[in-house]
Amino acid sequence: MASYVLLNIDTASPNIEIYAPSYTTVDILNEIVIQANEELSLDYQEIYVVDANGVRYDYSFAFDGDSYIGHVRFNNFPVGSIITLYARVMDKVGNVSNLVNKAIHIANSITLLTMTISDRQANVEISDKGRSVATNDRAMKIIVADSDRSENIGSN
Amino acid sequence: MAVTSNGTNTYQYGTTIRFEVNFFDFDGNAIEPDVIKIIIYNQRYQQIYTEILTSNNQLGVGNYFYDYITEDKEQKLYYEWNGTINGKPSLKRGSFMTKFIN
């Protein structure tokens, strides 16, 4: 009987997307994610910002399986300008993605205001006390009477 | 119950989370912005909720809160407090996770 081995060769580029805010300020530490639809290679990342004057600034993000994650503060760009973030990565078998980009507005945020922010949840007390259940396995006494009734059978 | 990891709090999904903000000037005095907004983003930074706050959400001078009911799903969310004075915004962001907590 003939046997076959089918090989599927992965020649498809990974699809990637940039998760980044459309606007930010020079004060905010932005979490930016380059998310792919498959596992990526640790060996290749091309992530950079081009400012309004066409100057390129390279960044190195942390590898996280199917994504690269960076925490970036854009405090070296002019307030009010629009910068463009570019990203290109590679999957585990060497297929390089398209170069994707996202524009980010460095908003004209005033620093007249300073803020302290917090998030919290109302206190909720929970308990999972079980209702006690008493069991007993007292057996009912069974009295077995085992009396033989003997009959006198007389023989004539 | 909130679980904190890498500075991000994780909450039971479906619960209500209270966000709070205090606005100060350079001298550390509490100050009242003209407009105060809270914006919630999903992990893709798409706005999923925006609210302009009123005195109903005010605790004191420059001190506001907002109670947000989380969706019944596991996700990472970002929140943004956005205060405006003389038409110019000032903003700050935080993040949190929601998941089923056993």
Side-chain angles (χ1 to χ4, degrees):
Chain A
M1 187 176 83
S3 60
Y4 300 92
V5 176
L6 291 174
L7 290 176
N8 285 321
I9 300 171
D10 178 6
T11 57
S13 301
N15 291 322
I16 63 169
E17 205 175 335
I18 297 175
Y19 298 165
S22 57
Y23 63 92
T24 186
T25 71
V26 293
D27 303 318
I28 292 178
L29 185 65
N30 303 279
E31 183 174 78
I32 295 174
V33 179
I34 313 300
Q35 182 68 52
N37 64 337
E38 60 177 306
E39 287 290 306
L40 295 173
S41 166
L42 176 61
D43 301 327
Y44 181 85
Q45 60 170 299
E46 189 182 348
I47 300 168
Y48 59 94
V49 165
V50 174
D51 69 10
N53 297 318
V55 180
R56 172 173 166 161
Y57 301 84
D58 287 302
Y59 291 88
S60 182
F61 282 14
F63 175 72
D64 190 29
D66 60 354
S67 63
Y68 278 90
I69 302 172
H71 294 89
V72 184
R73 185 174 278 119
F74 297 112
N75 53 359
N76 52 336
F77 297 100
V79 169
S81 67
I82 293 176
I83 60 173
T84 308
L85 175 71
Y86 291 87
R88 178 165 26 215
V89 293
M90 188 171 74
D91 69 13
K92 284 186 135 182
V93 293
N95 299 309
V96 178
S97 74
N98 289 332
L99 184 65
V100 297
N101 69 78
K102 175 155 187 169
I104 300 172
H105 178 214
I106 310 296
N108 186 15
S109 173
I110 51 171
T111 49
L112 275 174
L113 296 174
T114 58
M115 293 183 221
T116 58
I117 63 172
S118 63
D119 56 270
R120 65 191 164 90
Q121 180 185 333
N123 283 333
V124 180
E125 280 190 21
I126 59 170
S127 66
D128 54 359
K129 189 169 62 176
R131 193 172 60 170
S132 60
V133 178
T135 61
N136 62 23
D137 55 356
R138 192 173 57 185
M140 191 169 64
K141 280 184 185 173
I142 300 172
I143 299 171
V144 179
D146 189 11
S147 61
D148 275 352
R149 193 173 59 177
S150 58
E151 284 185 30
N152 291 325
I153 302 171
S155 60
N156 290 329
Chain B
M1 180 178 70
V3 181
T4 302
S5 172
N6 295 329
T8 298
N9 288 331
T10 300
Y11 299 102
Q12 167 68 51
Y13 59 52
T15 195
T16 302
I17 299 173
R18 171 162 291 197
F19 304 115
E20 200 171 327
V21 64
N22 286 279
F23 294 94
F24 301 101
D25 64 14
F26 273 134
D27 299 321
N29 302 313
I31 190 170
E32 197 65 38
D34 302 330
V35 180
I36 298 159
K37 277 193 295 189
I38 186 156
I39 303 169
I40 311 291
Y41 299 89
N42 64 15
Q43 191 177 10
R44 298 179 175 207
Y45 282 98
Q46 296 163 329
Q47 286 189 22
I48 58 172
Y49 192 78
T50 302
E51 176 96 6
I52 295 174
L53 302 189
T54 66
S55 57
N56 292 334
N57 296 87
Q58 188 166 16
L59 297 169
V61 177
N63 181 203
Y64 286 80
F65 73 94
Y66 185 74
D67 290 339
Y68 178 68
I69 302 170
T70 59
E71 294 176 85
D72 283 346
K73 69 179 185 185
E74 186 168 330
Q75 60 182 336
K76 180 164 192 173
L77 297 168
Y78 300 97
Y79 64 94
E80 174 184 314
W81 280 105
N82 193 316
T84 304
I85 283 189
N86 298 328
K88 293 188 174 177
S90 188
L91 56 101
K92 200 164 189 177
R93 294 197 180 111
S95 64
F96 62 99
M97 294 273 303
T98 61
K99 64 186 288 190
F100 181 82
I101 297 175
N102 203 339

